[in-house]
């Protein structure tokens, strides 16, 4: 006799193919604009880095801003790399 699980799966219910299709359509409809914004953001962000670099990174706030922008740029490159293929 198998041990009953302390957690019930009754709330999960059977999968609904229509709901799965709707989620797939939603993902596709959101993916393209997100990739577009990320792609062009990755292109534009280095122009914001230039004034920070010319000002110098001696101030901790400027350094932190530069590193945050750099991290955002790397994330934008990753998300937007598949745009317009």
């Amino acid at each position: 006799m198998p041990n009953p699980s302390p957690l019930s799966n009754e709330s999960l219910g059977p999968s609904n193919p229509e709901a799965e299709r709707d989620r797939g359509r939603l993902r596709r409809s959101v993916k393209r604009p997100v990739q577009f914004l990320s792609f062009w953001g990755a292109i534009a962000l280095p122009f914001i880095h230039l004034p920070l670099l010319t000002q110098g990174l001696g101030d901790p706030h400027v350094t932190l801003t530069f590193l945050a922008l750099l991290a955002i740029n790397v994330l934008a490159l990753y998300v937007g790399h598949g745009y317009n293929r």
Side-chain angles (χ1 to χ4, degrees):
M1 180 164 142
N3 291 335
S5 173
L7 301 175
S8 170
N9 285 339
E10 294 169 9
S11 65
L12 295 177
S15 67
N16 184 352
E18 238 178 76
E20 291 295 322
R21 260 185 268 123
D22 289 343
R23 272 189 234 120
R25 273 189 230 129
L26 179 64
R27 279 189 205 119
R28 284 190 300 273
S29 68
V30 170
K31 182 180 178 181
R32 184 115 171 115
V34 168
Q35 279 187 329
F36 170 81
L37 290 173
S38 296
F39 176 81
W40 288 107
I43 290 173
L45 277 171
F47 292 106
I48 298 172
H49 294 169
L50 291 174
L52 291 173
L53 288 173
T54 57
Q55 179 182 352
L57 299 177
D59 182 20
H61 294 291
V62 174
T63 304
L64 184 61
T65 303
F66 176 78
L67 291 175
L69 284 171
L70 189 62
I72 292 169
N73 197 355
V74 169
L75 179 65
L77 282 168
Y78 178 74
V79 173
H81 79 278
Y83 174 69
N84 212 12
R85 282 195 176 182

